[in-house]
Amino acid sequence: LKRRLPEPIQDRYREDVFSLAMTILECATLKPSSQCYDWNNYTINKNLLSSRLFEVKQRYSDQFYELLREMLRFNADDRPDFILLKQCLRQDDTVNISTCQGLNNKEVRS
């Protein structure tokens, strides 16, 4: 929106992961995630977002916190897409955060 481009150049799937994480954050803290957005400047209040993540860290498991933190990375290249996110969430209901951290899709899929 800020660049007024008719078609975004970002990875839509990774952007959707961020949006999903903001929704989960709202559910986990019971505070509106919309407060984290600065709609006039098209930015996110990083301090408020960090504060909300800290609330999650205090209330929930380390795995949940780490997964949410990975999903909320500002650099889309560092954030998992849904394929990588699925690989992070194992079928035995555990989370493999190392799968999400620092790997790009090419490394995981090959």
Side-chain angles (χ1 to χ4, degrees):
L1 291 175
K2 186 176 184 178
R3 295 181 192 131
R4 301 185 191 277
L5 297 175
E7 226 12 75
I9 55 173
Q10 293 85 1
D11 183 333
R12 291 179 185 158
Y13 302 107
R14 290 176 192 253
E15 298 301 324
D16 285 347
V17 167
F18 187 90
S19 297
L20 174 62
M22 291 296 284
T23 303
I24 294 169
L25 182 66
E26 183 167 333
C27 294
T29 61
L30 301 176
K31 295 178 181 174
S33 290
S34 60
Q35 294 174 345
C36 295
Y37 294 99
D38 179 348
W39 298 104
N40 295 325
N41 296 310
Y42 305 105
T43 60
I44 294 177
N45 183 330
K46 293 179 182 181
N47 291 331
L48 184 56
L49 184 60
S50 293
S51 171
R52 299 274 172 90
L53 273 173
F54 185 71
E55 289 181 44
V56 168
K57 186 175 185 173
Q58 291 180 317
R59 293 182 187 160
Y60 300 96
S61 71
D62 289 341
Q63 288 181 326
F64 179 71
Y65 163 75
E66 291 293 334
L67 182 64
L68 198 56
R69 189 172 63 97
E70 289 300 315
M71 293 172 68
L72 288 170
R73 291 205 174 268
F74 288 109
N75 184 349
D77 292 334
D78 296 335
R79 187 182 321 129
D81 61 10
F82 284 107
I83 293 170
L84 187 55
L85 188 60
K86 183 179 178 184
Q87 292 173 354
C88 295
L89 302 173
R90 296 184 180 165
Q91 289 186 4
D92 60 356
D93 293 332
T94 61
V95 177
N96 183 3
I97 295 298
S98 63
T99 302
C100 291
Q101 293 174 332
L103 297 177
N104 64 39
N105 291 332
K106 294 176 187 169
E107 292 170 334
V108 174
R109 291 180 187 159
S110 56

